[in-house]
Amino acid sequence: SVNAQGSEDAANGREETPAPQPVKLTALFQGYDPLIRPNFHGKPVAVQMSMTVASIDQVSEVDMDYTVTVLMRQYWNDPRLTFPGNKSMSLDPRLVKKLWVPDTFLENSKSSYLPTVTVDN
């Protein structure tokens, strides 16, 4: 069926476009060190961030503090993970353990934590 469709496309004057090849993640991670930031010995990594306040949970006038729940997303470019044919990709969240991630902190925060869920979002 594929050959027949390809032959029909060629007969109609349309060029055949080769199908994109799957990226092999093992090749991407060859020699990759998650402890070293991208562009090491070069410019700092530009990390973009968005933060959405999901809820304001507590406000204490006596202690002069508050508790909020936020959704924070970070975006950056790691040229060590470049592969032909695409400019970006989304990865399975389980792979985050193999990647360099920014050491982000909230200045003047009393405490913060990442919630644990039974299934990754």
Side-chain angles (χ1 to χ4, degrees):
S1 169
V2 172
N3 290 338
Q5 180 66 41
S7 300
E8 183 180 322
D9 285 344
N12 291 331
R14 292 181 289 206
E15 292 185 29
E16 294 181 36
T17 305
Q21 296 297 314
V23 176
K24 298 191 184 225
L25 291 178
T26 53
L28 280 178
F29 287 113
Q30 187 90 25
Y32 183 91
D33 187 346
L35 300 177
I36 298 175
R37 71 169 174 87
N39 308 324
F40 191 70
H41 293 301
K43 293 182 179 182
V45 178
V47 178
Q48 298 174 349
M49 186 172 85
S50 68
M51 187 178 290
T52 303
V53 175
S55 64
I56 299 174
D57 303 317
Q58 275 185 331
V59 176
S60 172
E61 292 179 18
V62 174
D63 295 328
M64 295 180 58
D65 67 6
Y66 57 92
T67 303
V68 295
T69 301
V70 298
L71 170 63
M72 184 177 76
R73 292 187 179 192
Q74 300 178 93
Y75 307 90
W76 66 92
N77 182 21
D78 191 337
R80 299 174 296 174
L81 298 173
T82 301
F83 62 96
N86 201 342
K87 293 185 179 182
S88 67
M89 68 176 161
S90 297
L91 297 173
D92 187 302
R94 293 173 292 185
L95 289 174
V96 76
K97 294 174 186 164
K98 295 184 176 189
L99 297 173
W100 175 87
V101 293
D103 184 17
T104 304
F105 64 95
L106 301 174
E107 194 171 349
N108 297 324
S109 172
K110 286 187 175 181
S111 66
S112 62
Y113 67 94
L114 291 173
T116 55
V117 293
T118 55
V119 179
D120 288 333
N121 294 328

Short mmCIF file of all heavy atoms in Angstrom, two decimals, residues 50-113:
data_model
loop_
_atom_site.label_atom_id
_atom_site.label_comp_id
_atom_site.label_asym_id
_atom_site.label_seq_id
_atom_site.Cartn_x
_atom_site.Cartn_y
_atom_site.Cartn_z
N SER A 50 7.58 30.69 34.28
CA SER A 50 6.23 31.22 34.48
C SER A 50 5.73 30.68 35.81
O SER A 50 6.08 29.57 36.22
CB SER A 50 5.30 30.80 33.34
OG SER A 50 5.07 29.41 33.37
N MET A 51 4.96 31.50 36.51
CA MET A 51 4.44 31.09 37.80
C MET A 51 2.98 31.52 37.90
O MET A 51 2.65 32.67 37.62
CB MET A 51 5.25 31.72 38.92
CG MET A 51 4.87 31.22 40.29
SD MET A 51 5.87 31.91 41.63
CE MET A 51 7.44 31.14 41.34
N THR A 52 2.14 30.59 38.26
CA THR A 52 0.71 30.85 38.43
C THR A 52 0.33 30.54 39.87
O THR A 52 0.63 29.46 40.37
CB THR A 52 -0.11 29.97 37.48
OG1 THR A 52 0.31 30.20 36.14
CG2 THR A 52 -1.59 30.24 37.61
N VAL A 53 -0.32 31.49 40.52
CA VAL A 53 -0.79 31.24 41.89
C VAL A 53 -2.08 30.43 41.79
O VAL A 53 -3.07 30.88 41.24
CB VAL A 53 -1.04 32.57 42.64
CG1 VAL A 53 -1.63 32.30 44.01
CG2 VAL A 53 0.26 33.36 42.76
N ALA A 54 -2.02 29.22 42.31
CA ALA A 54 -3.19 28.35 42.29
C ALA A 54 -4.13 28.66 43.44
O ALA A 54 -5.34 28.63 43.29
CB ALA A 54 -2.76 26.89 42.34
N SER A 55 -3.56 28.97 44.61
CA SER A 55 -4.40 29.31 45.76
C SER A 55 -3.58 30.03 46.81
O SER A 55 -2.37 29.83 46.91
CB SER A 55 -5.04 28.06 46.37
OG SER A 55 -4.05 27.22 46.90
N ILE A 56 -4.24 30.89 47.56
CA ILE A 56 -3.65 31.51 48.74
C ILE A 56 -4.27 30.76 49.91
O ILE A 56 -5.46 30.87 50.18
CB ILE A 56 -3.96 33.02 48.80
CG1 ILE A 56 -3.36 33.71 47.58
CG2 ILE A 56 -3.43 33.62 50.10
CD1 ILE A 56 -3.72 35.18 47.45
N ASP A 57 -3.46 29.97 50.60
CA ASP A 57 -3.98 29.03 51.57
C ASP A 57 -4.10 29.61 52.98
O ASP A 57 -5.06 29.32 53.68
CB ASP A 57 -3.11 27.77 51.60
CG ASP A 57 -3.03 27.13 50.22
OD1 ASP A 57 -4.05 27.05 49.54
OD2 ASP A 57 -1.92 26.74 49.82
N GLN A 58 -3.11 30.40 53.40
CA GLN A 58 -3.13 30.95 54.75
C GLN A 58 -2.49 32.33 54.74
O GLN A 58 -1.50 32.55 54.04
CB GLN A 58 -2.32 30.08 55.71
CG GLN A 58 -3.04 28.93 56.31
CD GLN A 58 -2.14 28.24 57.34
OE1 GLN A 58 -0.92 28.26 57.25
NE2 GLN A 58 -2.77 27.63 58.32
N VAL A 59 -3.01 33.21 55.56
CA VAL A 59 -2.39 34.51 55.80
C VAL A 59 -2.40 34.73 57.30
O VAL A 59 -3.44 34.62 57.94
CB VAL A 59 -3.17 35.66 55.10
CG1 VAL A 59 -2.55 37.00 55.43
CG2 VAL A 59 -3.21 35.44 53.59
N SER A 60 -1.21 35.01 57.84
CA SER A 60 -1.10 35.26 59.27
C SER A 60 -0.55 36.66 59.48
O SER A 60 0.61 36.93 59.19
CB SER A 60 -0.18 34.23 59.93
OG SER A 60 0.06 34.60 61.28
N GLU A 61 -1.40 37.54 60.00
CA GLU A 61 -0.95 38.90 60.30
C GLU A 61 -0.02 38.91 61.50
O GLU A 61 0.91 39.70 61.57
CB GLU A 61 -2.16 39.81 60.55
CG GLU A 61 -2.99 40.04 59.31
CD GLU A 61 -4.20 40.92 59.58
OE1 GLU A 61 -4.22 41.62 60.61
OE2 GLU A 61 -5.12 40.88 58.75
N VAL A 62 -0.23 38.00 62.45
CA VAL A 62 0.60 37.93 63.65
C VAL A 62 2.03 37.54 63.28
O VAL A 62 3.00 38.16 63.70
CB VAL A 62 0.01 36.94 64.67
CG1 VAL A 62 0.94 36.75 65.86
CG2 VAL A 62 -1.37 37.39 65.12
N ASP A 63 2.18 36.48 62.48
CA ASP A 63 3.51 36.00 62.08
C ASP A 63 4.04 36.73 60.85
O ASP A 63 5.20 36.53 60.47
CB ASP A 63 3.46 34.50 61.78
CG ASP A 63 3.13 33.69 63.02
OD1 ASP A 63 3.52 34.12 64.13
OD2 ASP A 63 2.48 32.64 62.87
N MET A 64 3.20 37.53 60.24
CA MET A 64 3.56 38.25 59.01
C MET A 64 4.07 37.30 57.92
O MET A 64 5.11 37.50 57.31
CB MET A 64 4.60 39.33 59.30
CG MET A 64 4.06 40.43 60.21
SD MET A 64 5.21 41.74 60.59
CE MET A 64 5.65 42.34 59.00
N ASP A 65 3.30 36.24 57.70
CA ASP A 65 3.64 35.31 56.62
C ASP A 65 2.37 34.78 55.97
O ASP A 65 1.25 35.04 56.43
CB ASP A 65 4.54 34.18 57.10
CG ASP A 65 3.85 33.24 58.09
OD1 ASP A 65 2.65 33.37 58.33
OD2 ASP A 65 4.55 32.35 58.61
N TYR A 66 2.56 34.06 54.89
CA TYR A 66 1.44 33.50 54.15
C TYR A 66 1.88 32.21 53.50
O TYR A 66 3.07 31.94 53.35
CB TYR A 66 0.91 34.49 53.10
CG TYR A 66 1.97 34.94 52.12
CD1 TYR A 66 2.17 34.26 50.93
CD2 TYR A 66 2.77 36.04 52.39
CE1 TYR A 66 3.14 34.66 50.03
CE2 TYR A 66 3.74 36.45 51.50
CZ TYR A 66 3.92 35.76 50.32
OH TYR A 66 4.89 36.15 49.44
N THR A 67 0.91 31.42 53.12
CA THR A 67 1.15 30.15 52.43
C THR A 67 0.40 30.19 51.11
O THR A 67 -0.80 30.51 51.08
CB THR A 67 0.66 28.96 53.27
OG1 THR A 67 1.29 29.00 54.55
CG2 THR A 67 0.95 27.64 52.59
N VAL A 68 1.11 29.90 50.03
CA VAL A 68 0.49 29.86 48.71
C VAL A 68 0.85 28.56 48.00
O VAL A 68 1.88 27.96 48.28
CB VAL A 68 0.91 31.06 47.82
CG1 VAL A 68 0.43 32.36 48.39
CG2 VAL A 68 2.39 31.07 47.58
N THR A 69 0.00 28.16 47.11
CA THR A 69 0.27 27.03 46.22
C THR A 69 0.44 27.61 44.83
O THR A 69 -0.43 28.35 44.35
CB THR A 69 -0.90 26.03 46.24
OG1 THR A 69 -1.08 25.56 47.58
CG2 THR A 69 -0.63 24.85 45.31
N VAL A 70 1.57 27.30 44.20
CA VAL A 70 1.86 27.85 42.88
C VAL A 70 2.21 26.73 41.91
O VAL A 70 2.67 25.66 42.30
CB VAL A 70 3.02 28.87 42.91
CG1 VAL A 70 2.68 30.06 43.78
CG2 VAL A 70 4.31 28.24 43.34
N LEU A 71 1.98 27.00 40.64
CA LEU A 71 2.44 26.14 39.56
C LEU A 71 3.57 26.89 38.89
O LEU A 71 3.38 28.00 38.39
CB LEU A 71 1.32 25.87 38.55
CG LEU A 71 1.75 25.18 37.25
CD1 LEU A 71 2.30 23.79 37.54
CD2 LEU A 71 0.61 25.12 36.28
N MET A 72 4.76 26.32 38.93
CA MET A 72 5.92 26.98 38.36
C MET A 72 6.48 26.11 37.23
O MET A 72 6.67 24.90 37.41
CB MET A 72 7.00 27.17 39.42
CG MET A 72 8.20 27.92 38.92
SD MET A 72 9.43 28.21 40.21
CE MET A 72 10.18 26.59 40.32
N ARG A 73 6.71 26.73 36.09
CA ARG A 73 7.30 26.04 34.94
C ARG A 73 8.57 26.76 34.54
O ARG A 73 8.63 27.98 34.59
CB ARG A 73 6.33 26.01 33.77
CG ARG A 73 5.15 25.14 34.03
CD ARG A 73 4.30 25.00 32.81
NE ARG A 73 3.19 24.12 33.13
CZ ARG A 73 2.40 23.60 32.24
NH1 ARG A 73 2.56 23.88 30.98
NH2 ARG A 73 1.41 22.81 32.60
N GLN A 74 9.56 25.99 34.14
CA GLN A 74 10.83 26.56 33.71
C GLN A 74 11.16 26.04 32.32
O GLN A 74 10.87 24.89 32.00
CB GLN A 74 11.94 26.16 34.68
CG GLN A 74 11.70 26.63 36.08
CD GLN A 74 12.78 26.18 37.03
OE1 GLN A 74 13.73 26.90 37.25
NE2 GLN A 74 12.63 24.99 37.58
N TYR A 75 11.76 26.92 31.52
CA TYR A 75 12.13 26.57 30.16
C TYR A 75 13.57 27.01 29.93
O TYR A 75 13.95 28.11 30.30
CB TYR A 75 11.24 27.29 29.14
CG TYR A 75 9.76 27.11 29.39
CD1 TYR A 75 9.05 27.99 30.21
CD2 TYR A 75 9.07 26.05 28.81
CE1 TYR A 75 7.71 27.82 30.44
CE2 TYR A 75 7.72 25.89 29.03
CZ TYR A 75 7.04 26.77 29.84
OH TYR A 75 5.71 26.60 30.07
N TRP A 76 14.36 26.18 29.30
CA TRP A 76 15.73 26.53 28.94
C TRP A 76 16.16 25.68 27.77
O TRP A 76 15.53 24.68 27.43
CB TRP A 76 16.68 26.36 30.13
CG TRP A 76 16.87 24.94 30.57
CD1 TRP A 76 17.82 24.07 30.15
CD2 TRP A 76 16.05 24.22 31.49
NE1 TRP A 76 17.66 22.85 30.77
CE2 TRP A 76 16.58 22.93 31.61
CE3 TRP A 76 14.93 24.56 32.25
CZ2 TRP A 76 16.03 21.96 32.42
CZ3 TRP A 76 14.39 23.58 33.07
CH2 TRP A 76 14.93 22.31 33.15
N ASN A 77 17.25 26.08 27.16
CA ASN A 77 17.78 25.35 26.01
C ASN A 77 19.08 24.68 26.43
O ASN A 77 19.98 25.33 26.95
CB ASN A 77 18.03 26.33 24.86
CG ASN A 77 18.54 25.64 23.62
OD1 ASN A 77 18.37 24.44 23.46
ND2 ASN A 77 19.16 26.37 22.75
N ASP A 78 19.16 23.38 26.20
CA ASP A 78 20.38 22.63 26.47
C ASP A 78 20.92 22.12 25.14
O ASP A 78 20.43 21.13 24.61
CB ASP A 78 20.09 21.47 27.42
CG ASP A 78 21.35 20.81 27.94
OD1 ASP A 78 22.41 20.92 27.28
OD2 ASP A 78 21.29 20.18 29.01
N PRO A 79 21.92 22.82 24.56
CA PRO A 79 22.40 22.43 23.23
C PRO A 79 23.03 21.04 23.19
O PRO A 79 23.19 20.46 22.12
CB PRO A 79 23.43 23.51 22.89
CG PRO A 79 23.74 24.21 24.15
CD PRO A 79 22.59 23.99 25.08
N ARG A 80 23.35 20.48 24.34
CA ARG A 80 23.91 19.11 24.35
C ARG A 80 22.88 18.07 23.94
O ARG A 80 23.23 16.95 23.58
CB ARG A 80 24.43 18.78 25.75
CG ARG A 80 25.54 19.70 26.22
CD ARG A 80 25.92 19.45 27.63
NE ARG A 80 24.80 19.76 28.53
CZ ARG A 80 24.81 19.53 29.83
NH1 ARG A 80 25.86 18.97 30.40
NH2 ARG A 80 23.76 19.85 30.58
N LEU A 81 21.60 18.45 23.96
CA LEU A 81 20.53 17.52 23.58
C LEU A 81 19.99 17.80 22.18
O LEU A 81 18.91 17.37 21.83
CB LEU A 81 19.39 17.59 24.60
CG LEU A 81 19.77 17.18 26.02
CD1 LEU A 81 18.62 17.45 26.98
CD2 LEU A 81 20.18 15.72 26.07
N THR A 82 20.79 18.52 21.39
CA THR A 82 20.37 18.85 20.02
C THR A 82 20.34 17.59 19.17
O THR A 82 21.21 16.73 19.26
CB THR A 82 21.35 19.87 19.41
OG1 THR A 82 21.36 21.02 20.23
CG2 THR A 82 20.94 20.25 18.01
N PHE A 83 19.32 17.50 18.33
CA PHE A 83 19.23 16.40 17.38
C PHE A 83 18.67 16.93 16.08
O PHE A 83 17.95 17.93 16.07
CB PHE A 83 18.38 15.25 17.93
CG PHE A 83 16.96 15.61 18.21
CD1 PHE A 83 15.97 15.36 17.27
CD2 PHE A 83 16.60 16.21 19.41
CE1 PHE A 83 14.65 15.70 17.52
CE2 PHE A 83 15.28 16.54 19.67
CZ PHE A 83 14.31 16.29 18.72
N PRO A 84 19.00 16.31 14.96
CA PRO A 84 18.54 16.83 13.66
C PRO A 84 17.03 16.67 13.48
O PRO A 84 16.44 15.71 13.94
CB PRO A 84 19.31 15.97 12.65
CG PRO A 84 19.75 14.76 13.38
CD PRO A 84 19.84 15.14 14.84
N GLY A 85 16.43 17.69 12.85
CA GLY A 85 15.04 17.58 12.46
C GLY A 85 14.03 18.20 13.39
O GLY A 85 12.86 18.21 13.10
N ASN A 86 14.46 18.73 14.52
CA ASN A 86 13.51 19.31 15.45
C ASN A 86 14.20 20.35 16.31
O ASN A 86 15.38 20.25 16.57
CB ASN A 86 12.90 18.23 16.35
CG ASN A 86 11.58 18.66 16.94
OD1 ASN A 86 11.25 19.83 16.97
ND2 ASN A 86 10.82 17.69 17.42
N LYS A 87 13.45 21.36 16.75
CA LYS A 87 14.03 22.40 17.60
C LYS A 87 13.74 22.16 19.08
O LYS A 87 14.40 22.70 19.93
CB LYS A 87 13.51 23.77 17.17
CG LYS A 87 14.00 24.16 15.81
CD LYS A 87 13.58 25.56 15.46
CE LYS A 87 14.12 25.92 14.09
NZ LYS A 87 13.80 27.27 13.71
N SER A 88 12.71 21.40 19.38
CA SER A 88 12.39 21.12 20.78
C SER A 88 11.64 19.80 20.87
O SER A 88 11.13 19.29 19.87
CB SER A 88 11.54 22.24 21.37
OG SER A 88 10.27 22.26 20.76
N MET A 89 11.60 19.28 22.08
CA MET A 89 10.84 18.05 22.29
C MET A 89 10.40 18.00 23.74
O MET A 89 11.00 18.62 24.62
CB MET A 89 11.67 16.82 21.95
CG MET A 89 12.83 16.55 22.87
SD MET A 89 13.63 15.01 22.39
CE MET A 89 15.20 15.24 23.18
N SER A 90 9.34 17.29 23.97
CA SER A 90 8.85 17.05 25.32
C SER A 90 9.26 15.65 25.71
O SER A 90 9.15 14.72 24.90
CB SER A 90 7.33 17.18 25.39
OG SER A 90 6.96 18.50 25.07
N LEU A 91 9.74 15.52 26.92
CA LEU A 91 10.22 14.22 27.38
C LEU A 91 9.32 13.68 28.49
O LEU A 91 8.63 14.43 29.18
CB LEU A 91 11.65 14.34 27.91
CG LEU A 91 12.70 14.77 26.91
CD1 LEU A 91 14.02 15.02 27.62
CD2 LEU A 91 12.88 13.72 25.83
N ASP A 92 9.40 12.40 28.68
CA ASP A 92 8.70 11.75 29.77
C ASP A 92 9.26 12.32 31.08
O ASP A 92 10.47 12.43 31.24
CB ASP A 92 8.96 10.24 29.68
CG ASP A 92 8.15 9.46 30.68
OD1 ASP A 92 8.28 9.74 31.89
OD2 ASP A 92 7.40 8.57 30.25
N PRO A 93 8.40 12.69 32.02
CA PRO A 93 8.88 13.27 33.28
C PRO A 93 9.87 12.40 34.05
O PRO A 93 10.67 12.89 34.82
CB PRO A 93 7.60 13.47 34.11
CG PRO A 93 6.50 13.49 33.12
CD PRO A 93 6.95 12.64 31.96
N ARG A 94 9.85 11.10 33.81
CA ARG A 94 10.79 10.22 34.51
C ARG A 94 12.23 10.47 34.09
O ARG A 94 13.16 10.12 34.80
CB ARG A 94 10.41 8.76 34.28
CG ARG A 94 9.08 8.39 34.92
CD ARG A 94 8.65 7.02 34.54
NE ARG A 94 8.32 7.02 33.11
CZ ARG A 94 7.82 5.99 32.45
NH1 ARG A 94 7.61 4.87 33.07
NH2 ARG A 94 7.55 6.07 31.17
N LEU A 95 12.43 11.10 32.92
CA LEU A 95 13.78 11.38 32.44
C LEU A 95 14.43 12.59 33.12
O LEU A 95 15.61 12.84 32.94
CB LEU A 95 13.78 11.60 30.92
CG LEU A 95 13.54 10.36 30.09
CD1 LEU A 95 13.41 10.71 28.62
CD2 LEU A 95 14.65 9.36 30.28
N VAL A 96 13.67 13.32 33.92
CA VAL A 96 14.22 14.52 34.55
C VAL A 96 15.41 14.18 35.44
O VAL A 96 16.32 14.99 35.61
CB VAL A 96 13.12 15.29 35.33
CG1 VAL A 96 12.77 14.61 36.63
CG2 VAL A 96 13.54 16.72 35.56
N LYS A 97 15.46 12.98 35.95
CA LYS A 97 16.59 12.56 36.79
C LYS A 97 17.89 12.49 35.99
O LYS A 97 18.97 12.53 36.55
CB LYS A 97 16.30 11.21 37.43
CG LYS A 97 15.16 11.27 38.43
CD LYS A 97 14.80 9.90 38.94
CE LYS A 97 13.57 10.00 39.81
NZ LYS A 97 12.94 8.74 40.05
N LYS A 98 17.79 12.38 34.68
CA LYS A 98 18.98 12.28 33.82
C LYS A 98 19.39 13.62 33.23
O LYS A 98 20.38 13.70 32.51
CB LYS A 98 18.72 11.30 32.68
CG LYS A 98 18.52 9.88 33.13
CD LYS A 98 18.36 8.97 31.95
CE LYS A 98 18.25 7.53 32.41
NZ LYS A 98 18.30 6.60 31.29
N LEU A 99 18.63 14.69 33.51
CA LEU A 99 18.87 16.00 32.90
C LEU A 99 19.42 17.00 33.91
O LEU A 99 19.14 16.92 35.10
CB LEU A 99 17.57 16.57 32.33
CG LEU A 99 16.91 15.80 31.21
CD1 LEU A 99 15.56 16.42 30.89
CD2 LEU A 99 17.79 15.78 29.99
N TRP A 100 20.15 17.98 33.39
CA TRP A 100 20.50 19.14 34.20
C TRP A 100 19.24 19.95 34.37
O TRP A 100 18.49 20.17 33.41
CB TRP A 100 21.56 19.98 33.49
CG TRP A 100 21.86 21.24 34.24
CD1 TRP A 100 22.76 21.40 35.24
CD2 TRP A 100 21.23 22.51 34.06
NE1 TRP A 100 22.73 22.69 35.69
CE2 TRP A 100 21.79 23.40 34.99
CE3 TRP A 100 20.23 22.99 33.21
CZ2 TRP A 100 21.41 24.73 35.09
CZ3 TRP A 100 19.85 24.32 33.31
CH2 TRP A 100 20.44 25.17 34.25
N VAL A 101 18.97 20.39 35.60
CA VAL A 101 17.83 21.27 35.86
C VAL A 101 18.34 22.45 36.69
O VAL A 101 19.25 22.29 37.50
CB VAL A 101 16.66 20.56 36.58
CG1 VAL A 101 16.02 19.52 35.69
CG2 VAL A 101 17.12 19.93 37.87
N PRO A 102 17.76 23.63 36.49
CA PRO A 102 18.20 24.79 37.26
C PRO A 102 17.96 24.61 38.76
O PRO A 102 17.01 23.96 39.17
CB PRO A 102 17.31 25.93 36.73
CG PRO A 102 16.70 25.42 35.49
CD PRO A 102 16.69 23.95 35.56
N ASP A 103 18.86 25.18 39.54
CA ASP A 103 18.72 25.16 40.99
C ASP A 103 17.95 26.42 41.39
O ASP A 103 18.53 27.42 41.79
CB ASP A 103 20.10 25.12 41.65
CG ASP A 103 20.02 25.00 43.16
OD1 ASP A 103 18.94 24.63 43.67
OD2 ASP A 103 21.03 25.29 43.83
N THR A 104 16.65 26.36 41.25
CA THR A 104 15.79 27.52 41.47
C THR A 104 15.38 27.60 42.94
O THR A 104 15.09 26.59 43.56
CB THR A 104 14.54 27.43 40.59
OG1 THR A 104 14.95 27.29 39.24
CG2 THR A 104 13.67 28.65 40.73
N PHE A 105 15.39 28.82 43.45
CA PHE A 105 14.93 29.03 44.82
C PHE A 105 14.14 30.33 44.87
O PHE A 105 14.28 31.19 44.02
CB PHE A 105 16.10 29.07 45.81
CG PHE A 105 17.03 30.23 45.59
CD1 PHE A 105 16.88 31.40 46.30
CD2 PHE A 105 18.07 30.13 44.67
CE1 PHE A 105 17.73 32.47 46.10
CE2 PHE A 105 18.92 31.20 44.46
CZ PHE A 105 18.76 32.37 45.17
N LEU A 106 13.30 30.43 45.87
CA LEU A 106 12.51 31.63 46.07
C LEU A 106 13.15 32.42 47.21
O LEU A 106 13.18 31.97 48.36
CB LEU A 106 11.06 31.28 46.40
CG LEU A 106 10.34 30.45 45.33
CD1 LEU A 106 8.97 30.04 45.81
CD2 LEU A 106 10.25 31.22 44.03
N GLU A 107 13.67 33.59 46.88
CA GLU A 107 14.35 34.42 47.86
C GLU A 107 13.37 34.85 48.96
O GLU A 107 12.21 35.14 48.70
CB GLU A 107 14.93 35.65 47.17
CG GLU A 107 15.92 36.40 48.00
CD GLU A 107 16.64 37.48 47.21
OE1 GLU A 107 16.53 37.51 45.98
OE2 GLU A 107 17.31 38.28 47.87
N ASN A 108 13.85 34.87 50.18
CA ASN A 108 13.07 35.25 51.37
C ASN A 108 11.94 34.28 51.70
O ASN A 108 11.02 34.61 52.43
CB ASN A 108 12.50 36.67 51.25
CG ASN A 108 13.60 37.71 51.16
OD1 ASN A 108 14.64 37.57 51.79
ND2 ASN A 108 13.38 38.73 50.37
N SER A 109 12.01 33.08 51.16
CA SER A 109 11.00 32.07 51.46
C SER A 109 11.36 31.39 52.78
O SER A 109 12.52 31.05 53.01
CB SER A 109 10.96 31.04 50.34
OG SER A 109 10.14 29.96 50.68
N LYS A 110 10.37 31.19 53.63
CA LYS A 110 10.63 30.46 54.88
C LYS A 110 10.83 28.98 54.61
O LYS A 110 11.67 28.33 55.21
CB LYS A 110 9.47 30.66 55.86
CG LYS A 110 9.44 32.03 56.49
CD LYS A 110 8.37 32.07 57.56
CE LYS A 110 8.38 33.39 58.30
NZ LYS A 110 7.36 33.42 59.35
N SER A 111 10.02 28.44 53.72
CA SER A 111 10.16 27.04 53.33
C SER A 111 9.42 26.82 52.02
O SER A 111 8.54 27.59 51.65
CB SER A 111 9.62 26.10 54.41
OG SER A 111 8.23 26.26 54.54
N SER A 112 9.80 25.75 51.35
CA SER A 112 9.10 25.35 50.13
C SER A 112 9.32 23.87 49.93
O SER A 112 10.26 23.28 50.47
CB SER A 112 9.59 26.15 48.92
OG SER A 112 10.95 25.91 48.70
N TYR A 113 8.46 23.25 49.16
CA TYR A 113 8.60 21.83 48.88
C TYR A 113 7.89 21.50 47.58
O TYR A 113 7.02 22.23 47.12
CB TYR A 113 8.05 20.98 50.03
CG TYR A 113 6.54 21.08 50.19
CD1 TYR A 113 5.71 20.16 49.59
CD2 TYR A 113 5.98 22.10 50.94
CE1 TYR A 113 4.33 20.26 49.71
CE2 TYR A 113 4.60 22.21 51.08
CZ TYR A 113 3.79 21.28 50.46
OH TYR A 113 2.43 21.38 50.59
#
